[in-house]
Amino acid sequence: MTIGYDAKRIVCNGTGLGSYGRTLVNDLAEAAPPGTVLNLYAPERGDERLRRQIMPRQDVRFVYPDKAGGPLRRALWRMHGIVDDLVRDGVKLYHGLSGELPVGIREAGIRTVVTMHDVIFMRHPEWYGWLDRKIYAWKFRKTCLEADRIIAISECTKRDVMLFGGVPAEKIDVIYQSCGTRYKMRESEKKKHEVHTAYMLPERYIVSVGTIEERKNVMLAVKAMRLLPDDVSLVVVGRTTPYGERVKRYAARNGLGRRVKFLHDVPADDLPAIYQMAEACVYPSRYEGFGLPVIEAIQSGLPVVACTGSCLEEAGGNATLYVDPDDVCAMADAVKKVLKGAPAREERIAAGLDYIRRFENDGVAQRVLEVYDEILNS
């Protein structure tokens, strides 16, 4: 049997949706019955470093459009033209890994499952432009109608899909994101020294990882720095946006320029060392579908402070501390409770590692395969 996958994010996104797709495909390739072929359909070759994260196997292959073209042609292929290729290749089931399905796939007789990561564009439309909201909402509603089954990566996402998509609960399976164990591997002292020197990292710091955009709310952590010990710094890792530039200006104006360091375009190979040399992780996002950096930080041996209001309690469990996304004093107080030397810090770290084991085993791939079987046999 041949199963097709939307692989655009696999070859183009270093984190987030890309990490989800690469981890899931690698796990499925190991768990799938003999004779199962996984075709990864991507509109372009993307980043070679990301492609190489897919383990080489005879039964896993990338498929690209027959004719190369510009961004518009590639987008049209992914939206519609891909269906002809799926039929040509004998694909029986197609998995949309990033919340959408191509037009015409139901008419082609191909069964479908789609992973919904979040519905933030409907829950918080103020964070999106008018045109983006319209496009995302159209794709979302169309996908909810056409998909045979929907996989939600958290209970929070399931509730949103039911609310905004009118989807019955029995059509949605909550299957948490599998996270792998890369961040559990301890980096050598040599590697940590190289990374520390290359990025001129502070001696003591807390770390925040994620795109520096309004939704991620890193301003909360920056403001909390005024209430933390002077020798503690904040290292913010992620792609910047106009919001990020506002955060930088705020830090400079308030005497925090030397204590708040921004790192952009950090290679994946350096990120584990940056985590492991930190004292704690803060993830002050206002809304997430899952919250992968929370788990990466816990795997790295860090206590975490996150925010209430979405799914982060599902990602971090009871070992993580949670604060209101607008409460600067609460954020500062929580960080003080997880810095080195704080009471029960080591117990908190151990409890976090125990909690996230549920995201690290091969049960995720097995559950996805069970969904496939149910669709194909229904």
Side-chain angles (χ1 to χ4, degrees):
M1 181 179 67
T2 301
I3 303 172
Y5 295 87
D6 175 7
K8 177 184 176 181
R9 308 296 182 181
I10 286 176
V11 302
C12 293
N13 289 46
T15 58
L17 300 181
S19 295
Y20 171 81
R22 289 186 294 273
T23 301
L24 181 59
V25 166
N26 284 331
D27 290 347
L28 288 170
E30 290 287 337
T36 304
V37 177
L38 310 184
N39 279 2
L40 312 183
Y41 292 86
E44 58 183 296
R45 297 185 66 82
D47 189 326
E48 181 182 358
R49 293 173 300 175
L50 300 179
R51 292 199 309 274
R52 287 205 306 264
Q53 291 180 29
I54 297 295
M55 298 296 103
R57 298 173 60 103
Q58 288 187 341
D59 50 6
V60 179
R61 68 186 184 107
F62 284 98
V63 182
Y64 307 103
D66 289 335
K67 295 181 180 179
L72 180 58
R73 181 185 289 271
R74 293 195 295 269
L76 290 173
W77 177 82
R78 182 169 175 254
M79 182 183 296
H80 181 69
I82 187 177
V83 174
D84 291 337
D85 291 350
L86 297 176
V87 172
R88 175 200 66 197
D89 297 337
V91 170
K92 300 300 182 185
L93 181 134
Y94 180 82
H95 189 159
L97 295 173
S98 55
E100 55 186 288
L101 296 171
V103 175
I105 193 166
R106 176 179 284 274
E107 290 80 357
I110 298 172
R111 306 303 298 273
T112 57
V113 59
V114 64
T115 297
M116 293 287 186
H117 297 265
D118 61 66
V119 194
I120 300 172
F121 53 89
M122 301 190 80
R123 172 67 72 176
H124 288 284
E126 68 273 16
W127 295 333
Y128 296 83
W130 179 86
L131 182 58
D132 285 341
R133 290 201 308 270
K134 294 297 183 183
I135 293 173
Y136 295 157
W138 175 78
K139 287 183 177 180
F140 168 68
R141 293 191 178 98
K142 169 184 157 298
T143 298
C144 286
L145 288 172
E146 294 196 350
D148 290 303
R149 288 281 278 277
I150 293 171
I151 291 174
I153 63 169
S154 68
E155 292 289 348
C156 177
T157 296
K158 178 179 179 177
R159 291 192 297 269
D160 280 354
V161 171
M162 292 171 63
L163 175 63
F164 295 106
V167 180
E170 57 270 20
K171 187 177 176 177
I172 307 172
D173 299 276
V174 175
I175 303 178
Y176 287 118
Q177 182 168 345
S178 178
C179 299
T181 56
R182 168 68 182 90
Y183 288 89
K184 275 191 165 181
M185 298 171 60
R186 299 299 97 179
E187 296 291 343
S188 67
E189 291 302 316
K190 180 176 181 291
K191 173 67 173 180
K192 288 193 283 190
H193 176 74
E194 290 173 351
V195 170
H196 197 281
T197 302
Y199 296 103
M200 295 182 289
L201 295 174
E203 289 305 310
R204 295 187 70 192
Y205 66 89
I206 56 177
V207 66
S208 181
V209 177
T211 302
I212 310 169
E213 59 185 345
E214 186 173 359
R215 173 170 62 89
K216 301 290 187 180
N217 193 34
V218 77
M219 183 72 86
L220 179 70
V222 173
K223 289 180 177 180
M225 294 302 297
R226 296 177 298 174
L227 305 175
L228 294 175
D230 291 341
D231 64 337
V232 176
S233 297
L234 170 66
V235 174
V236 182
V237 183
R239 178 177 60 84
T240 193
T241 66
Y243 168 83
E245 299 308 308
R246 296 202 305 272
V247 175
K248 291 179 183 179
R249 290 194 294 271
Y250 173 89
R253 288 196 306 265
N254 288 273
L256 296 170
R258 293 186 178 181
R259 294 180 59 201
V260 181
K261 188 174 185 65
F262 295 86
L263 302 179
H264 312 304
D265 302 316
V266 173
D269 289 345
D270 291 345
L271 191 53
I274 294 173
Y275 271 125
Q276 290 172 27
M277 289 185 286
E279 290 194 24
C281 172
V282 292
Y283 197 60
S285 181
R286 293 182 179 277
Y287 209 85
E288 294 292 330
F290 185 62
L292 184 59
V294 171
I295 296 171
E296 292 173 349
I298 294 173
Q299 288 179 328
S300 301
L302 300 182
V304 177
V305 178
C307 283
T308 57
S310 60
C311 71
L312 297 181
E313 291 93 335
E314 292 181 64
N318 292 334
T320 293
L321 295 178
Y322 304 94
V323 301
D324 184 278
D326 293 304
D327 194 332
V328 175
C329 291
M331 171 59 75
D333 288 343
V335 171
K336 290 175 185 176
K337 292 177 182 177
V338 297
L339 292 175
K340 287 183 177 178
R345 179 177 186 272
E346 299 307 315
E347 291 84 347
R348 194 179 301 281
I349 292 171
L353 287 168
D354 183 63
Y355 176 80
I356 63 168
R357 286 198 184 103
R358 69 195 63 200
F359 306 121
E360 297 171 347
N361 57 40
D362 60 3
V364 171
Q366 191 57 49
R367 288 196 62 199
V368 171
L369 289 172
E370 289 170 2
V371 172
Y372 292 173
D373 286 341
E374 291 171 9
I375 293 172
L376 292 169
N377 293 320
S378 63

